[in-house]
Amino acid sequence: MKKVLVLGATSAIAQATVRLLAARGASLYLVGRNAANLEAVAQDATTRGAAKVESRAVDLNDFAAHESLVDAAYAALGGLDGVVLAHGVLGDQTEAQKSWAATETVLRTNFLSAVSLLTVLANRFEAQKAGTLVVISSVAGDRGRQSNYVYGASKGALNVFLQGLRNRLAKSNVAVVTVKPGFVDTPMTAHIPKNKLFASPEKVARGLLSAADARKNEVYVPGIWALIMLIIRTIPETVFKRMKL
Amino acid sequence: MKALESWGRYPRVEQRTQPLVWRTDALPQPGGTVLPHGLGRSYGDSCLNGGGTLLLTAGLDRLISFDAATGVVRCEAGVSLDTLLRLAAPRGWFLPVTPGTKFVTVGGAIANDVHGKNHHRGGTFGRYVRRFELVRSDGSRRVCAPDENPDWYGATIGGLGLTGLVTWAEVQLKPISNPYVLQETVPFGNLDGFLEVARESEKDYEFTMAWVDCLARGRKVGRGLLYRGNFAPPQFDGLPLAKSHLSHGVGLAVPMDMPAFCLNRLSVSAFNWLYYHRQNGKPKQRLTHYDPFFYPLDAIYGWNRIYGRKGFLQFQCVVPYSTARDALAEILERSSRGGLPSFLSVLKTFGDIPSPGWLSFPRQGVTLAMDFANRGEKTWRLVEELDRVTREAGGAVYPAKDARMSPESFAAYFPQRERFSRYVDPAFSSSFWRRVNPVALPFSLESERGPAASRPQSLLAIR
Ligand SMILES: Cc1cc2nc3c(=O)[nH]c(=O)nc-3n(C[C@H](O)[C@H](O)[C@H](O)COP(=O)(O)OP(=O)(O)OC[C@H]3O[C@@H](n4cnc5c(N)ncnc54)[C@H](O)[C@@H]3O)c2cc1C
């Protein structure tokens, strides 16, 4: 990935990925909501050696702007061969249970906006017969649990969408990489007490990039989560529904 | 609240933490007092805030700009010196001043106005800080520079994190032609020998510092090895400068707390003997990468754990040349007789280049740093004695390495203390600050200063 569009560039995992890409001398088009924060990430990337950095502050829940956003990225970098889709919200499960509005925000941000963006991007990459689409999903999408099934559903739906997209784009030489991080120590999880399973954003970013370089399909980062989720998926539903997870 | 400790692992105090993420965000107001906290490489309690909140600056780790032509780097305050070196060294620039570990933040280097092996040539870190932003709890933001808000600039450099939060800073780096240092090791037989070699080395060498055998006594008191060096010149014939990669150097790790019996008089004296005699009395020259030259301890990750769970006390003092010989001899004799081995003792000279920081520790003279395993009362009494000797010699003790100096000592060491106090942010405090300012001082600072100062009251009583 030499010319990369990063969606949700101010998230912790995206920032760490941007640093690694910058150190490789990639050109970057950074998208985030907060202009000042985005500027801080852009300056950091420039100083660390990115060939070119442009940024734009937009709310990705404004679906109507997606087409022109992708146009702008193509124009700014003179083409695109990589996308890192990293925007998303954790939401609050209790809130979501009480109100459809809260549920809808999670689904719109994590699933619908991603689908809208990937629809535009997949068509361009299919036409140019090249490129890598990297999407940050979550282990939470592997099985619905009472503690966060709304978030989990948004990521689970995303996973299925990406499987289909991968299937469709395989013949066009476009890689679709689903990255499933476990617990990551970021501002998004600042309120949660940390244990040994929490990984740093840097570690996740390294895993993400090596998966992208190898054009993998689905990866768990860190790898231990493949095993953990295998176990969690294997528990029979009759047992699972009685568990407190 | 959780129990946190600093690099010396003493004291352990209960406090809250709050990570900072963006430099433009408003300063958190969690209730109670706050204190910025970098990488926690201060030894005692100056980077702790018992009962209050630590503002963790590790997330403020973005670079802002770097001009490879002028060597001016601007970055957020949580950026580590390691990050700056990885950025700058391959492009021909180096830190103008660096402490003995690269795992400190720019904010921490400013707040303690750190010094390095080149104080006699370069002064302190603060001299190279061209400007920085200071955010106060009243919401104000100031850019501070020698000619812009100069008072805030002078108060914040060496200001122990008490004047507000530094969000970003601009530092002038210095040019190097390659990342190698041409180093020479010279043995000296006692303190007089050290003073002689050190003064003579200052003329031709940018970097000097000496390891001292803290168990040697009598005529040998203060014997050791002086390391001196300069960055290698551009074309250094026949040596493999091409391999100028940065070493990533996490070679060894101390996996757990070592039981206290590992460090005893015998093991330390065996180590010191071997170390000293490795030299067989002759100067040695070699070319070395900057990493092992400046940061030998960084290669042993978590080395502070060798002192065990109770931690250790660091003691670093500076004494003027006029009293140096006698005072240092007494300090070394006392610590040797105290039977509490200091694993690593370092001697170094400070030059007369003034720092812009009001509360800066370095001043002309000789500085000695030692660490002592914490064995309770006994250790405390010894270090208190060393403090007294320092005070009577007209010297000072380094707050970044202190967990126990008395309010009287602090006032004696830092004559600008009262002027500084007026710039302390009302919402900021530290365990150290409360300790050295328990209440308004019950004596006049003027009469208290100088070699005639009375004995400080027992520290154990104050706590
Ligand atoms: C192995 C080793 C070798 C050392 N060698 C030397 C040496 O040679 N010379 C020397 O001078 N020191 C030396 N030190 C001490 C070290 O350089 C200082 O304690 C340094 O300040 C630690 O920086 P830190 O980022 O870890 O800050 P911390 O220890 O976390 O904090 C230090 C101070 O900085 C303040 N601070 C941190 N960030 C900010 C900010 N953004 N705004 C305002 N205030 C802030 C804190 O409140 C605190 O008062 C050494 C330490 C170690 C462990």
Side-chain angles (χ1 to χ4, degrees), chain A residues 15 19 37 43-44 47, chain B residues 22-23 61-64 87:
Chain A
Q15 275 192 78
R19 283 187 179 172
N37 299 352
Q43 287 167 337
D44 184 60
T47 312
Chain B
W22 301 103
R23 63 177 180 264
D61 64 345
R62 298 172 198 92
L63 300 169
I64 301 174
L87 170 80

Side-chain angles (χ1 to χ4, degrees), chain B residues 406-419:
Chain B
S406 66
E408 293 82 354
S409 292
F410 181 72
Y413 298 151
F414 297 96
Q416 300 223 57
R417 170 195 165 278
E418 268 180 311
R419 179 185 182 205

Side-chain angles (χ1 to χ4, degrees), chain A residues 9-11 15 19 34 36-41 43-45 47-49 187 190 202, chain B residues 19 21-25 59-66 73-74 76 79 83 87 91:
Chain A
T10 53
S11 83
Q15 275 192 78
R19 283 187 179 172
N34 180 308
N37 299 352
L38 199 54
E39 174 64 11
V41 178
Q43 287 167 337
D44 184 60
T47 312
R48 285 174 196 263
E202 292 71 34
Chain B
V21 185
W22 301 103
R23 63 177 180 264
T24 48
D25 282 355
L60 296 179
D61 64 345
R62 298 172 198 92
L63 300 169
I64 301 174
S65 64
F66 175 61
V73 64
R74 190 190 282 208
E76 293 182 352
V79 166
T83 299
L87 170 80
R91 304 185 204 184

Side-chain angles (χ1 to χ4, degrees), chain B residues 208-222:
Chain B
T208 63
M209 81 84 153
W211 166 84
V212 47
D213 177 355
C214 61
L215 289 178
R217 298 194 206 175
R219 271 187 302 127
K220 288 183 188 157
V221 74

